[in-house]
């Protein structure tokens, strides 16, 4: 399973890249705002800065909600760097835009997906990635991981090549369950990735080994 980091914070992206396990980055307008990145020029530069840190795909989201606007913004984003993936919301105009980009060979990530039907539409339109938001489903008492299972079954039934990118991942158990189900990618906060490292028996075992090594 690929690990993407879900942030626009350059220091965190670099830390995950330096760990040697990072396969890509996802951003969204909220994550860009959180870093204080404002204005079209600054936003486009920030995407290039991210691409220069990582070696994998970097999702950059369009703001427009009409087909022409999404195409205009998406083409500008795709021209920034070969690793940019155009992130498009799961709305009617978005499905059309995904189809358009798919036919042009431009990678897309269909975002804000909360149902299997939406994921099926994204795959039929030719999305490179589909982003089901599992944490936000859990937040409203709906099983986010069950959605990943359903999408996996549907995509495998028909051989859709769209990659399931589990998003809105909140904690390490989300990552482990996504890996068991067979999600292609999990995009996670840095804290969830580094939490995978931790086990008290590792810490106590290492302390014992180091103490014994001195004997
Ligand atoms: O990239 C979108 C998604 O991962 C958002 O996560 O934590 O805001 O629900 P969250």
């Amino acid at each position: 399973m690929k690990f993407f980091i879900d942030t626009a914070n350059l220091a965190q992206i670099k830390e995950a890249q330096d760990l040697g396990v990072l396969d890509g980055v996802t951003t969204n307008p909220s994550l860009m705002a959180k870093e204080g990145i404002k204005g079209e020029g600054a936003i486009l530069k920030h995407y290039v800065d991210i691409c220069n840190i990582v070696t994998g795909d970097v999702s950059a989201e369009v703001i427009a909600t009409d087909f022409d606007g999404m195409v205009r913004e998406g083409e500008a984003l795709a021209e920034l760097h070969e690793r940019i993936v155009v992130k498009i919301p799961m709305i009617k105009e978005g499905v059309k835009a995904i189809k358009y980009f798919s036919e042009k060979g431009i990678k897309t990530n269909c975002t804000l997906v909360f149902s299997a039907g939406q994921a099926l539409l994204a795959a039929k339109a030719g999305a490179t990635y589909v982003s089901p938001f599992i944490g936000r489903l859990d937040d409203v008492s709906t099983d986010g991981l069950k959605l990943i299972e359903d999408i996996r079954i549907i995509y495998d039934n028909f051989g859709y090549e769209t990659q399931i990118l589990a998003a809105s991942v909140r904690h390490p158990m989300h990552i482990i369950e996504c890996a068991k189900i067979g999600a292609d990618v999990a995009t996670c906060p840095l804290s969830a990735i580094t939490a995978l490292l931790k086990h008290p028996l590792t810490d106590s075992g290492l302390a014992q080994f180091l103490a014994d090594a001195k004997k």
Side-chain angles (χ1 to χ4, degrees), residues 112-157:
L112 289 167
V113 166
F114 293 94
S115 76
Q118 291 178 323
L120 181 55
L121 273 178
K124 285 191 69 69
T128 313
Y129 299 100
V130 66
S131 288
F133 278 30
I134 60 176
R136 291 192 193 183
L137 280 170
D138 290 352
D139 289 344
V140 294
S141 306
T142 302
D143 187 350
L145 289 165
K146 174 72 169 56
L147 176 59
I148 302 292
E149 281 178 10
D150 289 346
I151 300 171
R152 183 73 282 156
I153 291 167
I154 291 168
Y155 283 9
D156 289 350
N157 278 347

Side-chain angles (χ1 to χ4, degrees), residues 47-87:
Y47 286 136
V48 174
D49 290 343
I50 293 173
C51 289
N52 287 336
I53 296 173
V54 299
T55 49
D57 284 348
V58 175
S59 288
E61 189 159 340
V62 298
I63 309 301
T65 53
D66 63 297
F67 174 80
D68 290 338
M70 287 189 209
V71 165
R72 196 165 49 247
E73 281 181 29
E75 285 181 337
L77 289 169
E79 273 179 24
L80 284 177
H81 199 283
E82 61 185 0
R83 287 197 290 278
I84 289 281
V85 174
V86 182
K87 200 172 182 187

Side-chain angles (χ1 to χ4, degrees), residues 6 26-28 31 61 87 111 133 135-136 139 166-170 187:
D6 195 29
T26 52
T27 63
N28 62 40
L31 294 171
E61 189 159 340
K87 200 172 182 187
T111 190
F133 278 30
R136 291 192 193 183
D139 289 344
S168 189
V169 165
R170 301 278 170 77
T187 189

Side-chain angles (χ1 to χ4, degrees), residues 25 45-46 51 63 77 82 84 92 101 125 139 150 173 178 180 187 189 198 201 209 211:
V25 178
K45 179 184 174 302
H46 201 75
C51 289
I63 309 301
L77 289 169
E82 61 185 0
I84 289 281
K92 196 172 181 182
F101 285 122
D139 289 344
D150 289 346
M173 282 311 294
C178 282
K180 283 162 68 177
T187 189
K198 301 289 179 192
L201 290 178
F209 286 154

